[in-house]
Amino acid sequence: MTKSLKELILAAEFAAIIAVLSQFTFPLGLIPLTGQTFAIGLTATFLGKRTGTVSVLIYLLLGLIGLPVFSGMSGGIGVLFGPTGGYLVGFILQSWLIGFIMEKVGSRYPLTISANLVGSAAALCCGMLWLMISSSLSLHTAFLSGFLPFIIPEAIKSIAAASVGLFLKKRLSRLQLFSMDK
């Protein structure tokens, strides 16, 4: 099996994982707290910049064509133009940033957590800015409703995604079940 085929299979598998974890939703005002950002962090930590970002793009494309993969079993192009659309677009940046930082600094635990924190902050910024534009909110109001309430949950999810992602990478490489080199 070629390296690129393995990468595509892994990207598709992780897109499915993102879709499943997206259904773990807790209402928190206009923007819900979901398992999506944990899944994005896990995907980028495990797969890296290129394959992780492809996985996120597959997930988003599945949702945009109407499959109910977004939080609350939603899907369709309309979700992209709703108040949560900026977060969805931000997932691309989140995945890419996590993988990029990990490529530069390696897969050490504290640095992987830092990469996940930076990626989550980037997704929150994208989401907050889109929330401001799509809902005609002031920057202050968008920050208070679309960024601030998510700082602690995102920090927890970033630590968890880094921990689980590194654990899986180490465990699977020891069992020789996961290797992007073959």
Side-chain angles (χ1 to χ4, degrees):
M1 190 179 320
T2 66
K3 181 180 175 183
S4 60
L5 180 58
K6 280 184 181 180
E7 288 175 345
L8 286 175
I9 291 169
L10 283 168
E13 291 171 340
F14 272 84
I17 290 169
I18 297 168
V20 169
L21 291 176
S22 295
Q23 303 318 310
F24 291 93
T25 304
F26 303 97
L28 194 66
L30 187 58
I31 307 298
L33 184 63
T34 71
Q36 284 169 312
T37 50
F38 167 77
I40 302 295
L42 174 65
T43 299
T45 299
F46 189 79
L47 296 179
K49 178 179 72 176
R50 181 175 168 223
T51 309
T53 303
V54 168
S55 183
V56 172
L57 289 169
I58 291 169
Y59 164 72
L60 293 173
L61 287 173
L62 290 172
L64 292 176
I65 64 169
L67 295 177
V69 297
F70 298 146
S71 68
M73 296 294 285
S74 61
I77 192 93
V79 176
L80 189 62
F81 295 105
T84 60
Y87 297 97
L88 295 173
V89 173
F91 293 159
I92 300 167
L93 181 60
Q94 178 183 2
S95 179
W96 187 87
L97 272 174
I98 292 168
F100 175 78
I101 294 169
M102 287 182 64
E103 276 182 10
K104 298 297 180 195
V105 300
S107 293
R108 294 187 311 263
Y109 185 70
L111 298 173
T112 303
I113 290 173
S114 298
N116 272 269
L117 289 169
V118 169
S120 289
L124 283 175
C125 286
C126 289
M128 177 191 68
L129 292 173
W130 179 250
L131 181 63
M132 182 180 78
I133 294 166
S134 69
S135 300
S136 300
L137 301 174
S138 68
L139 181 59
H140 183 260
T141 304
F143 174 79
L144 291 177
S145 60
F147 192 96
L148 187 63
F150 300 99
I151 292 174
I152 292 174
E154 287 304 315
I156 293 167
K157 290 190 277 184
S158 293
I159 292 167
S163 301
V164 173
L166 288 178
F167 174 80
L168 289 174
K169 268 178 115 166
K170 288 177 186 174
R171 197 55 86 168
L172 292 176
S173 68
R174 278 190 208 144
L175 296 174
Q176 297 178 347
L177 294 173
F178 173 72
S179 175
M180 298 295 272
D181 298 330
K182 293 183 181 180

